[in-house]
Amino acid sequence: LSTSNILGFESIGPGPLGTASFSNMPTSRKWPEIDQYSLGVQHQFVGNNLLGVSYVGTLGRHLQQTRNQNQVPLGLGTENVPELAGSPGCDGAGNCDVQTVLINNYQPSLFFAPYRGYNTISLRDPSGVSNFNSMQVSLRHPTGYGLTYELSYTYAHTLDNIIATPGIDDNNSRRWYGTSNLNQKHTLVINWVYQLPFFASSSSVAARTALGGWQ
C-alpha cells in the first residue's frame, strides 16, 4: 500500500488504509489480431548461386496494453486542495499551482489526480497497434567441395503505441506511437553446411547407409 504526506505529518494515509491501486478490464473487448504478408523473388545464377529478395510485413491490432486512468492531466493549472493549504506552491485557501508543486516535488501527484484517494488505476485495454516492415536478402553459394555458405540480411523497422507500464498522458495513444522497444533494424546471419566425404563412396552398402552422407 502507498501512503501520502499530509501537511505537518509524515507517511499518513487518508483513512485506516493507505491509498490503493487496482486494475480493471472493459466489459467487452476485441481479440488481438495479427496479419502477416510477404512477397519474394529468387534467381539462380551460374554455379548454382541462389539469390532471394523478399518483403515481409506484419500488422498487429487490438493488442493489450495497460493505461493509467488516474494521471494528472497535462498542463493542469490551479487546483483547490484544502489539505495542502499554506504548503509550498499553495496559498492559505489551498489553491495550488499544480505545475510548480509537481516540478519541485513538493507533494505527491495523487493530490491532483482525477480520482483522489487512489493511486494507479490501470485499465487493461486492447487498443495497441503495431506494424513491422522488412526487406530480407539471402545468398546461397556452393563451393563445389561439399561446402555451402549462406548469408542472410534483414533491414527492418517495427513501430507500435504499446504502453508497457503506465507513463505520461496514457489516454493519448498517438503520443506513444513510434519505434518499438523490440525494433531490430539490422540483422545479419551467416551459416554454412559441410557434407562429410567419409564413406560416401564405400563399396559397403551398410557403411554408405549408416556412415555416409552426413552433413
Side-chain angles (χ1 to χ4, degrees):
L1 295 175
S2 300
T3 59
S4 58
N5 295 325
I6 306 299
L7 184 62
F9 300 91
E10 290 185 2
S11 300
I12 293 181
L17 296 177
T19 50
S21 299
F22 64 90
S23 298
N24 60 1
M25 300 181 67
T27 55
S28 62
R29 57 190 301 171
K30 296 182 178 180
W31 288 102
E33 179 180 306
I34 300 294
D35 300 310
Q36 297 178 317
Y37 41 88
S38 63
L39 175 66
V41 294
Q42 292 183 327
H43 183 75
Q44 185 169 337
F45 294 93
V46 176
N48 291 325
N49 291 292
L50 184 65
L51 175 67
V53 180
S54 301
Y55 166 76
V56 178
T58 300
L59 285 178
R61 294 295 182 264
H62 315 304
L63 307 179
Q64 179 172 291
Q65 57 181 338
T66 302
R67 299 191 290 117
N68 183 10
Q69 302 297 289
N70 200 30
Q71 293 177 326
V72 178
L74 288 182
L76 186 63
T78 302
E79 282 285 294
N80 181 261
V81 184
E83 297 92 335
L84 301 181
S87 65
C90 306
D91 63 20
N95 296 310
C96 302
D97 183 339
V98 177
Q99 300 304 313
T100 298
V101 173
L102 296 183
I103 290 173
N104 292 282
N105 294 316
Y106 290 146
Q107 299 293 341
S109 61
L110 61 85
F111 281 109
F112 312 106
Y115 305 99
R116 298 181 187 179
Y118 294 93
N119 247 330
T120 301
I121 300 177
S122 300
L123 174 65
R124 298 175 183 244
D125 183 28
S127 61
V129 299
S130 69
N131 69 74
F132 167 82
N133 296 281
S134 69
M135 179 189 69
Q136 302 180 8
V137 180
S138 64
L139 176 64
R140 188 178 67 191
H141 171 65
T143 64
Y145 299 96
L147 184 64
T148 299
Y149 290 97
E150 185 168 22
L151 181 148
S152 299
Y153 170 73
T154 299
Y155 177 80
H157 193 197
T158 306
L159 299 103
D160 64 40
N161 69 344
I162 302 300
I163 303 172
T165 57
I168 299 174
D169 196 19
D170 286 358
N171 289 316
N172 181 10
S173 59
R174 293 184 179 181
R175 175 190 182 99
W176 296 102
Y177 184 75
T179 299
S180 170
N181 290 337
L182 303 176
N183 184 61
Q184 184 68 41
K185 189 173 184 179
H186 302 284
T187 303
L188 177 65
V189 178
I190 300 175
N191 61 72
W192 57 90
V193 177
Y194 180 60
Q195 185 173 359
L196 299 175
F198 312 115
F199 302 103
S201 302
S202 174
S203 58
S204 169
V205 175
R208 289 199 309 272
T209 303
L211 303 176
W214 289 84
Q215 295 182 336

